[in-house]
Each structure stands twice: as structure tokens, then as C-alpha cells.
Amino acid sequence: MQRCLMVFVALSMMTMMTKAQDNEQPADATVGDAPADKVGYFLGLSMGQQMVQQGLRAEDFTAESFTVGVSDALASRDMKLTREELVAVQTTLQKLLNTRHQEMAAEIKKQALENKAKGVAWLKENAQKEGVKQLEGGLQYKVIKEGDGGTPTQSDTVRVHYTGKLINGEVFDSSVQRGEPAEFTVGGVIKGWTMALQKMKVGSKWMLYIPSDLAYGERGSAGAIGPNEVLVFEVELLDIL
């Protein structure tokens, strides 16, 4: 019984996120300054994001029921549903999630195929542009500025400034925008970076055009990078630490 209730409450909490996404919550809604307000928002936001990623939607259940369920659980009141009803709800939700997962997997596969084709065509055209050279595996690069320092090995830690974009020009990550260089081991990043950095000298700035096979492949990365995306980076090698 306790497990069923925990599942019910956890699944219901995503309403906090999805209701806002459906604009049922005012766009200018604010969170209070009290510590309890901020804790509540954190819990609702983090759980809501997880549930959305799992495939649940706002129309799957109501905010009103969510409020009643959480209140009853926190106050240790008698549950409004019987054990049998809770089990039935859990079964229904599991079937729903299974269906959504299948739909999501099919959509990701479709997107991966489309991105792969777009990426191959884009790289083929990009390879013809002035100054663009190609390394093994299809990694393309263009030297913006050639440095005169040392060249790192795979085991070295480097300091770099970079801006990463998709082929449509959308920026997904940038140490330049953050105003703070990144530090990492050459062998601890995507293959395209590892290959390029071992050919760069400190002080160099290159454009990298990285095929999906040398980037994040079919899995993508954290929602910002889709499956089989070609990535474009401006990379400046500042130092070998």
C-alpha cells in the first residue's frame, strides 16, 4: 500500500511542471522568499522535470487531485482511494508510460535518421569551403589563428575557451558566454575534441565541424543536442596545465 501511494504522489507531482507549460499558470507567477517556498519550488520543479522526461503530460491527471494526494500523505490522513483502486491506477499509469516510451523511441529513431542525412549533406558542402581541412573519421577543421605553444597529449589537462553550435546556428554551450574558460582532460571529452586538441598548439583558435559519430552519436546529450547532430565549435586552446 505504501509503495502504491508513493508512486501515486511521485507521478502526480509533475503537474506542477506541466500545468505551467500549458500556460494554465500565469507566466508571471512568482515563488515566495521564505525558505519553505524555495524548497517547495525545488521539489516540484525537479520532480516535474523527471516526470515530463518519462512521458507524462498535464492532461493525464489533475492539479486538484495532486493537491489532495500530497496533503493527505503529508498529514497522514486516510487515503481517498482504496487499495484496489490505487493498484488499478498504478497499472493504468504503467501501461500509459509503456505506450509513451514506445512513441518516444520511434520519434527519436526518426529524428536520428533525419539528422544523420542532414549532417552528411551539410559536412559535404562545408568541406568545399575555403580553408576547411579534414582529418580521419571525417572531422573537419579550419584554422582561425595558429599558436606557437606546445601541443597537448591525450593525458594532459587543458584550459580552453569555446562556443558550441548546431548546424542551424543555435548555441548550446559556451564558456565564452559564461566568461570562464573550461578545464578538462584531453582524453575525457568527445572524440572529435580529443582528435583536434592533439593537433593544436597553445594559442591556436580553430573551428571544428564534428560528425555525429565523433560527437554524441544517436544518444544526443541532455536534450540540448539531438540524436546524430553534427556539432560546430570555435575552440581556443589557452594553456596546458
Side-chain angles (χ1 to χ4, degrees):
M1 176 67 75
Q2 184 179 6
R3 180 172 178 270
C4 290
L5 180 59
M6 290 174 64
V7 171
F8 171 75
V9 172
L11 290 171
S12 297
M13 286 186 71
M14 58 77 65
T15 305
M16 287 181 149
M17 180 74 172
T18 54
K19 287 295 182 183
Q21 292 177 330
D22 285 349
N23 294 322
E24 292 184 15
Q25 175 176 299
D28 59 352
T30 59
V31 177
D33 291 331
D37 291 327
K38 295 180 179 180
V39 170
Y41 183 76
F42 169 80
L43 291 173
L45 183 67
S46 58
M47 184 63 73
Q49 289 172 333
Q50 293 177 37
M51 296 305 111
V52 170
Q53 290 174 1
Q54 291 179 11
L56 284 166
R57 302 169 185 166
E59 64 267 23
D60 293 334
F61 50 94
T62 66
E64 291 78 13
S65 295
F66 155 74
T67 302
V68 174
V70 172
S71 295
D72 284 353
L74 292 176
S76 300
R77 288 192 289 264
D78 291 340
M79 294 180 292
K80 301 294 191 296
L81 299 180
T82 66
R83 177 186 179 87
E84 290 73 19
E85 287 175 319
L86 287 172
V87 171
V89 169
Q90 184 177 5
T91 300
T92 299
L93 286 173
Q94 189 59 59
K95 290 180 179 179
L96 176 65
L97 287 176
N98 288 341
T99 299
R100 295 272 170 80
H101 291 167
Q102 292 173 5
E103 293 172 349
M104 291 165 66
E107 180 59 31
I108 290 174
K109 184 176 181 180
K110 177 183 176 183
Q111 186 181 2
L113 291 173
E114 292 175 350
N115 287 344
K116 188 70 172 181
K118 289 179 183 178
V120 170
W122 190 91
L123 286 168
K124 183 177 180 180
E125 180 178 349
N126 191 65
Q128 307 306 314
K129 294 181 179 179
E130 183 179 357
V132 175
K133 301 178 181 179
Q134 185 163 304
L135 299 175
E136 58 182 308
L139 173 64
Q140 298 176 4
Y141 71 98
K142 179 179 179 179
V143 177
I144 300 175
K145 180 180 69 173
E146 191 66 85
D148 56 8
T151 298
T153 65
Q154 186 165 326
S155 61
D156 283 329
T157 297
V158 295
R159 179 182 292 118
V160 302
H161 251 323
Y162 68 91
T163 296
K165 300 180 180 180
L166 304 179
I167 59 175
N168 64 5
E170 178 184 344
V171 175
F172 59 84
D173 191 16
S174 176
S175 68
V176 177
Q177 290 182 359
R178 290 192 296 271
E180 183 176 356
E183 298 179 2
F184 49 77
T185 304
V186 173
V189 289
I190 58 175
K191 292 181 180 179
W193 270 67
T194 298
M195 293 169 59
L197 286 169
Q198 292 181 90
K199 295 184 178 299
M200 295 177 67
K201 296 179 180 179
V202 172
S204 295
K205 181 184 288 187
W206 285 16
M207 293 299 303
L208 302 181
Y209 313 99
I210 306 179
S212 60
D213 293 345
L214 300 178
Y216 293 97
E218 290 188 359
R219 72 182 186 276
S221 176
I225 301 173
N228 286 338
E229 291 271 18
V230 169
L231 305 182
V232 179
F233 284 96
E234 180 180 274
V235 180
E236 183 176 10
L237 179 55
L238 301 176
D239 200 6
I240 302 173
L241 303 180

